Amino acid sequence: MPSYTVTVATGSQWFAGTDDYIYLSLVGSTGCSEKHLLDKPFYNDFERGAVDSYDVTVDEELGEIQLVKIEKRKYWLHDDWYLKYITLKTPYGDYIEFPCYRWITGEGEIILRDGRAKLARDDQIHILKQHRRKELETRQKLYRWMEWNPGFPLSIDAKCHKDLPRDIQFDSEKGVDFVLNYSKAMENLFINRFMHMFQSSWSDFADFEKIFVKISNTISERVMNHWQEDLMFGYQFLNGCNPVLIQQCMKLPEKLPVTTEMVECSLERQLTLQQEVEQGNIFIVDFELLDGIDANKTDPCTLQFLAAPICLLYKNLDNKMVPIAIQLNQVPGDENPIFLPSDAKYDWLLAKIWVRSSDFHVHQTITHLLRTHLVSEVFGIAMYRQLPAVHPIFKLLVAHVRFTIAINTKAREQLICECGLFDKAIKARGMDSTEHIPNYFYRDDGLLVWEAIKKFTAEVVDIYYESDQVVEEDQELQDFVKDVYVYGMRGNKASGFPKSIKTREKLSEYLTVVIFTASAQHAAVNFGQYDWCSWIPNAPPTMRAPPPTAKGVVTIEQIVETLPDRGRSCWHLGAVWALSQFQENELFLGMYPEEHFIEKPVKEAMARFRKDLDTIVSVIAERNKNKKLPYYYLSPDRIPNSVAV
C-alpha cells in the first residue's frame, strides 16, 4: 500500500503548540485518503517550534496530491494551534510543500494547496477552483468593512483586538497594550513623579530637563541644545519626523503679504524676494489644513488652542534651510502679524514654537495615522477579502500587512489620500533636485529604497504575468484594487488610487506603493519621534494659550505658560518613547521567514532584493559618518516590513 511521509512544522511564537488531536486527509486526482490521526506513542506532538514527521499509509493510489486537509479536535480544553507548513514525501520520492502560516482554532479545520503561486486562469480542475472560491467566501465574512469615523478610510469591523480574526491578531497582547507600554515608558524615563501634575507649569525652558533623559542618543540631545536656532528649525522640515510638507514656493500666496523690506536682512544674495522665488530659493510650509479645527477637549480643566500658520523658508548660501517669515493664521490682518527673525527674541521664538506644534498635529493625524496606518490597513483588508492564499500578490503582500490591522484596532480601542508615489510626490512639491536642494536625506534615501522595491515587484510581476492582458483579465486582482478604491478610499478620485489596473508596469507601481507605505514611509515618520519630539518645546503636543496677536509683548513666562503642563509633558514623552521602539522579533525590509513562495525564480528575486537593500545600508552608513545629525530612518536595516507599532 502507498506510504507518504508527512512533516508538520508548528510555529515558534507563544502558545503556538497544541495538545489537541490532529487529523490529516489527502485529496488526490484519483482518490481521497481516510482521516489519519497524527500521533506518536509516548511523545508530545506539536510542541511550540517542533517539526514532527509521520508515516501515513493509504489504501489505494491517490494520483497527484491536490489538497491536504487538517482537522483539529478537542483533547481536554480548546487549544489553538499555529501551523507553519506541511511537507509531503510521496511514494515516488517527490517532495510537495504546503505553506500554511495560520492559526487553527476550536474544533477547526483547514484545507491547504501546495505552495506554487497560481492565478485563477491557471486553475482548470474543479476541486481547485472550488477551494479558491470557498476560501474567499469565508474570508469575506470574516473581514468586513466598517466606518470608524466619517471621512476616514473604512477600517476593519472589530470593536477590539480580541474580535479580530485569529490570524491577524498579535501573538501576545501584552507587547502591544498601549497602557502597559506607557507604564514601561514612565518607568524607563523616570518621570512617574510628574505624571499627575496637570495644570502645573514648568518654571522655564531648563525645567523641562527634569523629564528629559540624556540617553546615548545624539539627536535628541542635540535638539535640546539647539532647538531655538533657525538652522535646527529649518533642518527638521527636511529630515525630521515630518519631512513631507515642505515645498518649493513658486509664487508668494496673497494670504501672506510679505515684502522684500520685511525679510531683506535674511536674504543673502542681494536679490529681491520675488527674484529669490524665481531662482528657487524660497520654500513654504502651509498648515491650512488646521484652519477652523477645534482644539482637542480631552482635558476639560485645560483650555487648548490650535493655529494654522504659514511659514516661509529660505535656502541660504550654505544651502541650509532657515525660516524668514511666519504668519500664525491664514487670514492676514492687524491682529495676525507676520513674525520675522528681526523681531524681538521671544516674539520670533514663540512664532516658531507655534509652527512646531502645528507640525506635530499634522504629523500625527495625517502623515503618520492616515497616510501610513490607515492606508496600510485598507490594503490589508482588501487583500484578505479578494486574494486567495495561492495568489502571487497575496504571497507578496502578506508580510507587509503583518499586525497592521491589529495595531490599528488596538489604537482605536485604547487611544483615540493621495496615492503615495514617492518619486512623483517629491517632484510635485518641487523638492526633487539633489543639486539645487542638497541635504534632503529623506528624499535621497527614500528614492533608493523606492527603486529597490519597484525593481523587486517588477521581477515578481513578470514571473506570474506574461503580458498586460493577463493583468487586466485577473479578476481577483481587479477586485482587490476595486475594494481598496471603493471601500478604503470611499470612491474618492482625488485619492489618486485607481479603480483598475491594466498593465504590468502599473501593477508593479501599485505594489511598490503598498510595500513602501507599509515599510519605508512608516519608518521615516514613526521611528524618529523620540529623537525629534522628546524635547517638549521643540514639538509641543498642545498649547495652553492662543497665538499672539501683536509684536513686542511676548515674555519667556508667557511662552512657558503656553507650553504643555508637567503632567501632559510626561504623557507626551511616554507616548513618543513607546512609539519609537521596534517590536520584539521585528522583521525588517527584505526578511521573509514565512515561505509563502516556494518557486526558485521568486526566491532568487528576493535574494537580489536583499542584496540591493544591503548596498543601500552601506551607502547610508558611509554618508552618515561623522555627521552631527545622522539620518538613518530609511536605512533598510531599520525599516520594519509592516506597520506594527
Side-chain angles (χ1 to χ4, degrees):
M1 291 188 290
S3 180
Y4 294 81
T5 302
V6 177
T7 302
V8 181
T10 297
S12 55
Q13 59 268 63
W14 287 104
F15 312 116
T18 187
D19 289 324
D20 282 355
Y21 296 113
I22 303 298
Y23 296 91
L24 174 137
S25 310
L26 302 176
V27 179
S29 57
T30 60
C32 301
S33 76
E34 292 182 354
K35 192 161 64 174
H36 292 265
L37 175 65
L38 300 182
D39 182 50
K40 290 190 240 180
F42 312 110
Y43 178 76
N44 202 345
D45 304 274
F46 315 117
E47 287 289 281
R48 179 164 74 103
V51 178
D52 301 314
S53 291
Y54 304 87
D55 289 324
V56 172
T57 302
V58 298
D59 295 332
E60 57 184 355
E61 289 286 345
L62 301 178
E64 183 182 347
I65 300 299
Q66 294 168 338
L67 300 170
V68 169
K69 183 177 181 180
I70 297 288
E71 298 176 63
K72 184 168 76 67
R73 298 292 176 255
K74 186 168 69 173
Y75 168 67
W76 181 247
L77 296 171
H78 280 305
D79 193 10
D80 295 351
W81 179 40
Y82 188 85
L83 172 60
K84 288 174 67 177
Y85 61 83
I86 287 176
T87 60
L88 206 62
K89 184 184 178 186
T90 71
Y92 312 104
D94 299 325
Y95 282 89
I96 311 172
E97 298 177 49
F98 294 84
C100 181
Y101 302 104
R102 289 168 60 189
W103 289 93
I104 306 177
T105 60
E107 299 267 299
E109 64 178 49
I110 202 163
I111 300 174
L112 302 176
R113 288 185 56 167
D114 75 74
R116 293 171 297 173
K118 298 286 185 182
L119 300 178
R121 73 198 286 264
D122 301 325
D123 283 340
Q124 302 301 322
I125 301 168
H126 173 72
I127 194 172
L128 298 181
K129 289 181 178 181
Q130 186 183 47
H131 175 264
R132 198 175 190 116
R133 188 183 71 252
K134 281 188 174 178
E135 181 183 10
L136 290 182
E137 286 172 356
T138 303
R139 290 235 214 100
Q140 286 165 13
K141 291 173 186 172
L142 277 175
Y143 297 84
R144 302 174 305 276
W145 294 105
M146 178 190 74
E147 182 176 73
W148 170 49
N149 262 329
F152 277 86
L154 293 190
S155 56
I156 191 81
D157 184 4
K159 288 188 173 67
C160 56
H161 181 260
K162 65 181 174 58
D163 293 342
L164 293 170
R166 184 66 182 92
D167 285 329
I168 59 169
Q169 290 183 22
F170 281 103
D171 295 333
S172 164
E173 281 208 47
K174 287 184 180 178
V176 294
D177 189 293
F178 290 111
V179 174
L180 184 65
N181 285 352
Y182 268 117
S183 302
K184 282 184 190 172
M186 299 305 136
E187 190 180 319
N188 288 341
L189 300 169
F190 309 106
I191 53 180
N192 278 314
R193 61 198 168 114
F194 297 108
M195 277 299 302
H196 305 293
M197 297 176 71
F198 290 95
Q199 288 80 54
S200 169
S201 296
W202 302 96
S203 43
D204 53 31
F205 294 141
D207 209 15
F208 281 97
E209 287 192 51
K210 288 179 179 173
I211 62 165
F212 183 80
V213 181
K214 291 184 180 178
I215 54 176
S216 56
N217 182 325
T218 57
I219 292 180
S220 59
E221 285 199 45
R222 193 161 181 83
V223 170
M224 181 191 72
N225 292 326
H226 299 277
W227 72 280
Q228 298 187 43
E229 298 169 12
D230 288 354
L231 284 172
M232 177 63 83
F233 177 90
Y235 179 86
Q236 291 179 75
F237 285 114
L238 295 177
N239 300 309
C241 272
N242 198 19
V244 302
L245 297 186
I246 188 169
Q247 51 188 319
Q248 196 169 112
C249 182
M250 305 301 182
K251 183 188 177 199
L252 291 167
E254 290 182 11
K255 62 183 178 181
L256 181 66
V258 63
T259 65
T260 299
E261 291 69 36
M262 289 180 178
V263 297
E264 61 185 346
C265 63
S266 299
L267 306 180
E268 299 179 352
R269 295 177 175 84
Q270 279 71 55
L271 300 173
T272 66
L273 181 57
Q274 181 56 37
Q275 288 170 328
E276 294 279 19
V277 169
E278 290 165 4
Q279 290 207 3
N281 298 321
I282 303 296
F283 298 80
I284 192 167
V285 181
D286 188 348
F287 294 93
E288 184 177 17
L289 195 66
L290 298 176
D291 192 30
I293 293 179
D294 290 333
N296 196 337
K297 296 181 174 63
T298 50
D299 179 1
C301 302
T302 305
L303 279 173
Q304 300 181 67
F305 298 88
L306 285 173
I310 308 168
C311 179
L312 215 59
L313 297 114
Y314 177 63
K315 188 190 73 169
N316 66 18
L317 288 172
D318 292 329
N319 285 322
K320 301 290 173 61
M321 209 65 75
V322 291
I324 59 172
I326 294 171
Q327 182 177 284
L328 292 180
N329 281 300
Q330 292 287 306
V331 181
D334 293 341
E335 294 193 346
N336 187 22
I338 297 175
F339 292 94
L340 307 165
S342 53
D343 289 340
K345 175 182 176 181
Y346 292 127
D347 283 0
W348 181 234
L349 181 59
L350 183 55
K352 289 192 293 180
I353 290 173
W354 268 105
V355 171
R356 294 293 310 135
S357 181
S358 300
D359 189 69
F360 178 83
H361 288 297
V362 170
H363 167 260
Q364 291 295 358
T365 56
I366 306 299
T367 309
H368 184 208
L369 174 64
L370 174 61
R371 290 188 175 160
T372 63
H373 277 259
L374 299 186
V375 168
S376 290
E377 178 175 358
V378 164
F379 295 137
I381 299 169
M383 181 197 78
Y384 280 110
R385 283 173 54 82
Q386 304 298 351
L387 298 175
V390 72
H391 198 289
I393 303 304
F394 179 94
K395 291 172 179 281
L396 176 65
L397 296 184
V398 65
H400 299 288
V401 297
R402 178 176 178 260
F403 299 149
T404 299
I405 301 172
I407 194 71
N408 290 355
T409 304
K410 269 287 188 183
R412 286 188 286 269
E413 178 187 345
Q414 292 185 328
L415 300 177
I416 358 193
C417 115
E418 65 193 67
C419 191
L421 294 174
F422 185 81
D423 47 357
K424 292 177 183 174
I426 293 284
K427 196 166 187 174
R429 293 189 287 116
M431 302 297 293
D432 52 314
S433 171
T434 54
E435 187 178 351
H436 187 65
I437 310 166
N439 306 316
Y440 192 12
F441 307 128
Y442 162 75
R443 171 203 59 205
D444 301 340
D445 300 354
L447 285 169
L448 291 176
V449 176
W450 172 271
E451 289 301 327
I453 296 172
K454 193 172 180 184
K455 177 185 166 189
F456 171 53
T457 60
E459 288 185 22
V460 176
V461 166
D462 286 348
I463 291 169
Y464 295 102
Y465 295 89
E466 66 217 28
S467 68
D468 292 343
Q469 184 181 350
V470 179
V471 171
E472 196 168 0
E473 292 176 353
D474 182 355
Q475 194 55 51
E476 290 168 340
L477 171 67
Q478 301 304 334
D479 289 344
F480 162 65
V481 172
K482 186 178 178 182
D483 234 31
V484 169
Y485 178 76
V486 172
Y487 296 105
M489 300 305 152
R490 316 295 290 271
N492 182 4
K493 289 181 182 177
S495 70
F497 282 90
K499 295 179 191 175
S500 61
I501 290 177
K502 298 182 178 179
T503 67
R504 292 191 295 177
E505 184 182 356
K506 286 296 180 186
L507 174 56
S508 169
E509 194 175 70
Y510 191 94
L511 297 172
T512 304
V513 169
V514 178
I515 296 172
F516 186 89
T517 300
S519 56
Q521 185 61 24
H522 179 255
V525 302
N526 182 73
F527 293 104
Q529 290 189 78
Y530 189 82
D531 286 347
W532 296 101
C533 303
S534 56
W535 180 247
I536 307 295
N538 188 59
T542 185
M543 299 289 264
R544 295 183 294 144
T549 56
K551 295 187 179 187
V553 294
V554 178
T555 62
I556 188 169
E557 290 78 19
Q558 184 183 338
I559 294 179
V560 172
E561 288 294 324
T562 300
L563 288 169
D565 58 36
R566 293 170 189 248
R568 199 166 293 281
S569 296
C570 292
W571 275 107
H572 168 80
L573 194 59
V576 297
W577 183 86
L579 287 168
S580 300
Q581 307 306 304
F582 293 122
Q583 286 280 332
E584 284 183 48
N585 305 316
E586 191 74 78
L587 297 177
F588 294 97
L589 192 58
M591 294 169 64
Y592 297 101
E594 293 185 355
E595 294 194 43
H596 291 275
F597 282 113
I598 65 167
E599 296 96 321
K600 189 177 178 184
V602 188
K603 291 188 174 186
E604 289 172 346
M606 286 177 172
R608 287 190 292 272
F609 182 40
R610 282 190 291 271
K611 190 174 179 183
D612 289 343
L613 294 174
D614 288 342
T615 301
I616 296 171
V617 170
S618 300
V619 167
I620 292 173
E622 185 62 32
R623 193 265 322 281
N624 282 338
K625 271 185 184 175
N626 305 317
K627 276 201 180 298
K628 292 176 181 174
L629 281 173
Y631 186 84
Y632 43 71
Y633 310 116
L634 283 171
S635 183
D637 58 346
R638 300 173 77 109
I639 299 176
N641 252 337
S642 62
V643 177
V645 67

